[in-house]
């Protein structure tokens, strides 16, 4: 392959930016529209708690497992083709979900949409990187891309909340279909193509071991959080994931055309952004999962009321992202990212002071502070990962950074969900006793919560003790939530420390040691954005 696929990388870059940003918006929209609609889906389809959890997981798993593969496919066959395939999968998955009459059919639709999202996330970023070679100017374009990544988190809950007040849950899947069709038509005529200019080959052993490692790891953590980590299936999955991860590293070290060259991690900037992506998204996405449950189980808010609170985080992050993109060539990304992570940790620690009666105003400043921290992290994190490697490896860097981020996002709800469940169930008997619930009634509540989750307690007929039991339920949930907040804040501070130590401003060009194949040096390394 050679770079003659696109004579002028700058040609059509406005169209590239618009199409790429809208593509990212479509890819990420199911993350929030589905999450806030889960109670309505459960009521309509009669799904159990475990079946309902896989409605979201069916989307996340293929997205996390295939991001690296689709990045390589774009480098080899052309990113425009992979982008078009991703849009087609998003439209098809949304159509299947829209027409689904069972939870199993909904799983299929979500999985197909997840494949589309896996194709779009690395491809759109690589298309922008190719269209804007200058790393300083590219920071502004990647700022728009990062804002498009955040926008669905802001408007998704509002879209779902508005629809659920007037229509059935399935209509939340309508919007991606016409948007995908329009983007496919525009891309066919206006989107320039690009490939890896120095040529890459498909690395099937690496792709297979990576997919197995991610899938087994995420499956093991999700099922372990739900049913216990001592279950044979969970132990087998986690062991398989560990073996596959080791096999992936060994395969990539020996591959003449690796999917994710381990030598890239010789770049401190790339290593730092990868670690920040994994740790911060594990904490943040897990926190959003817990926060949604807090709004429903403790504050008893409607979907729209919860959405209006969640939008404070994502909306603030979206607004903050644009000026941060402009500041990247004036302020070191190390300063921006580290400061943002410290703000995130401060906001999470401040959230430990909320309770069942916390007002909107008291909650708002904490959520806005969290959004400001996210806005300071997302754009420079992505730009630093791409700019820290040679220009012709932008697709690999984009795919690797996105894959690591999505694995963290997939693990977040599972890890924090397991912590939440364990802590709240351990605290529940004492909270019931403190609330004056009779021992026999308290035993019924604990058994129902252990078997079906805290939400099942609301359906029990507890007679005069109902109010006391619900109060105890909210208190035990808050105990679990505070533990999750402390863990999330700790992860954010850990990521800040890694960023401060590793993401240093180099004086020369990008990493000259990050090579292709068996330790070959890389040429044409561009100056890092830091």
């Amino acid at each position: 392959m050679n770079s003659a696929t696109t004579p002028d990388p700058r040609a059509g870059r406005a169209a590239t930016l618009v199409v790429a940003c809208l593509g990212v918006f479509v890819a990420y929209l199911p993350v929030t529209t589905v999450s806030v609609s889960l109670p309505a889906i459960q009521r309509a389809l009669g799904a159990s708690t475990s079946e309902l959890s896989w409605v979201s997981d069916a989307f996340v798993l293929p997205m996390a497992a295939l991001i690296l593969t689709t990045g390589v496919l774009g480098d080899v066959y052309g990113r425009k083709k992979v982008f078009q395939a991703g849009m087609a999968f998003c439209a098809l998955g949304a159509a299947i979900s829209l027409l689904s009459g069972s939870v199993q059919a909904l799983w299929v639709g979500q999985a197909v949409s997840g494949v589309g999202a896996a194709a779009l996330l690395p491809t759109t970023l690589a298309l922008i990187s190719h269209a804007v070679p200058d790393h300083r100017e590219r920071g502004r374009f990647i700022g728009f891309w990062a804002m498009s990544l955040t926008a669905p988190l802001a408007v998704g809950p509002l879209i779902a909340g508005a629809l659920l007040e007037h229509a059935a849950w399935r209509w939340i899947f309508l919007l991606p279909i016409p948007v995908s069709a329009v983007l496919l038509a525009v891309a066919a005529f206006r989107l320039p193509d690009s490939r890896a200019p120095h040529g890459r080959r498909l690395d099937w052993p690496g792709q297979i071991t990576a997919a197995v490692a991610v899938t087994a790891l995420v499956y093991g953590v999700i099922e372990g959080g739900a049913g216990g980590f001592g279950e044979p299936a969970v132990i087998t999955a986690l062991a398989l994931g560990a073996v596959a991860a080791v096999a992936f590293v060994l395969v990539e070290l020996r591959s003449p055309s690796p999917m994710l060259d381990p030598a890239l991690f010789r770049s401190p900037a790339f290593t730092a952004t990868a670690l920040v992506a994994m740790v911060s998204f594990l904490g943040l996405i897990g926190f959003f999962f817990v926060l949604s449950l807090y709004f429903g189980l403790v504050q008893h808010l409607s979907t729209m009321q919860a959405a209006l609170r969640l939008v404070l985080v994502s909306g603030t992050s979206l607004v903050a992202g644009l000026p941060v993109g402009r500041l990247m060539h004036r302020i070191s990304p190390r300063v921006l990212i580290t400061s943002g992570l410290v703000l995130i940790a401060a906001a999470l620690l401040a959230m430990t002071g909320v309770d069942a009666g916390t007002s909107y105003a008291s909650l708002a400043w904490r959520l806005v502070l969290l959004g400001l921290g996210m806005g300071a992290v997302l754009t420079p994190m992505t730009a630093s990962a791409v700019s820290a490697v040679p220009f012709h490896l932008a697709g690999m860097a984009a795919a690797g950074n996105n894959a690591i981020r999505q694995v963290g996002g997939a693990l977040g709800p599972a890890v924090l969900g397991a912590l939440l469940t364990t802590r709240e169930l351990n605290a529940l008997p004492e909270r019931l006793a403190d609330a004056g619930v009779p021992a026999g009634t308290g035993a019924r509540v604990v058994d129902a919560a252990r078997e079906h989750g805290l939400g099942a307690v609301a359906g029990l007929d507890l007679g005069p003790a109902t109010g006391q039991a619900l109060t105890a339920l909210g208190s035990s949930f808050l105990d679990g939530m505070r533990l999750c907040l402390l863990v999330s804040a700790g992860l954010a501070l850990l990521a800040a420390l890694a960023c401060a130590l590793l993401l240093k401003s180099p004086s020369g060009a990008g990493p000259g040691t990050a090579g292709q194949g068996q330790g070959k040096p890389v040429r044409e390394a561009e100056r890092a954005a830091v």
Side-chain angles (χ1 to χ4, degrees), residues 36 62 86 128 151 186 213 215 274 308 319 387-388 426 469 493:
V36 298
I128 290 176
V186 173
T215 303
L308 291 173
V319 172
S387 298
N426 288 339
L493 290 175

Side-chain angles (χ1 to χ4, degrees), residues 454-480:
L454 292 186
V457 177
L460 296 178
D461 182 9
L462 302 177
T466 298
Q468 297 165 303
L470 292 178
T471 299
L473 196 70
S475 298
S476 63
F477 180 91
L478 287 171
D479 290 338

Side-chain angles (χ1 to χ4, degrees), residues 11-27:
R13 64 181 186 175
T16 299
L17 176 65
V18 172
V19 172
C21 289
L22 288 176
V24 168
F25 180 89
V26 171

Side-chain angles (χ1 to χ4, degrees), residues 137-425:
E137 189 178 13
R138 187 194 306 161
R140 181 164 55 91
F141 280 72
I142 291 180
F144 286 113
W145 181 89
M147 289 173 64
S148 300
L149 194 67
T150 310
L153 304 180
V155 303
L158 298 178
I159 292 172
L163 286 172
L164 288 174
E165 287 190 355
H166 305 287
W169 62 269
R170 64 183 68 252
W171 293 106
I172 66 173
F173 297 103
L174 177 63
L175 182 60
I177 300 175
V179 175
S180 297
V182 171
L183 289 178
L184 279 170
V186 173
F189 297 101
R190 297 288 298 166
L191 185 65
D193 202 358
S194 66
R195 308 182 187 199
H198 293 277
R200 297 183 67 187
R201 294 192 298 272
L202 291 176
D203 173 26
W204 287 114
Q207 289 158 42
I208 291 170
T209 52
V212 171
V214 172
T215 303
L217 177 62
V218 174
Y219 175 86
V221 173
I222 291 171
E223 290 299 304
F229 287 92
E231 294 294 322
V234 173
I235 295 173
T236 301
L238 294 177
L240 177 61
V243 171
V246 173
F248 171 73
V249 174
L250 295 176
V251 164
E252 296 303 276
L253 285 171
R254 300 175 61 87
S255 173
S257 181
M259 180 171 58
L260 182 65
D261 194 338
L264 290 177
F265 290 93
R266 295 175 189 169
S267 162
F270 185 83
T271 302
T273 54
L275 186 59
V276 168
M278 166 68 86
V279 174
S280 61
F281 268 69
L282 192 155
L284 283 173
I285 301 302
F287 165 72
F288 283 130
F289 171 77
V290 174
L291 187 63
S292 298
L293 294 178
Y294 163 74
F295 289 143
L297 290 176
V298 178
Q299 292 206 320
H300 306 292
L301 303 179
S302 68
T303 303
M304 181 56 76
Q305 289 173 324
L308 291 173
R309 285 156 177 77
L310 288 172
V311 79
L312 290 174
V313 181
S314 46
T316 303
S317 176
L318 181 66
V319 172
L322 185 57
V324 167
R326 292 173 176 171
L327 288 172
M328 281 180 54
H329 67 284
R330 301 176 184 174
I331 301 177
S332 166
R334 177 172 62 167
V335 174
L336 290 172
I337 298 174
T338 303
S339 301
L341 289 168
V342 171
L343 283 178
I344 288 171
L348 294 172
L349 291 174
M351 285 289 297
T352 60
V354 306
D355 54 31
T358 299
S359 66
Y360 180 89
S362 180
L363 192 63
W365 70 266
R366 296 173 166 92
L367 299 179
V368 168
L369 184 64
L370 180 62
L372 287 173
M374 288 180 60
V377 169
L378 284 178
T379 299
M381 178 180 68
T382 304
S384 297
V386 175
S387 298
V389 302
F391 178 67
H392 66 280
L393 294 180
M396 180 189 292
N401 189 265
N402 273 304
I404 292 167
R405 178 164 50 194
Q406 294 308 320
V407 170
L411 292 175
V415 172
L416 294 190
L419 287 175
L420 175 69
T421 300
T422 301
R423 180 69 183 97
E424 66 190 6
L425 289 179

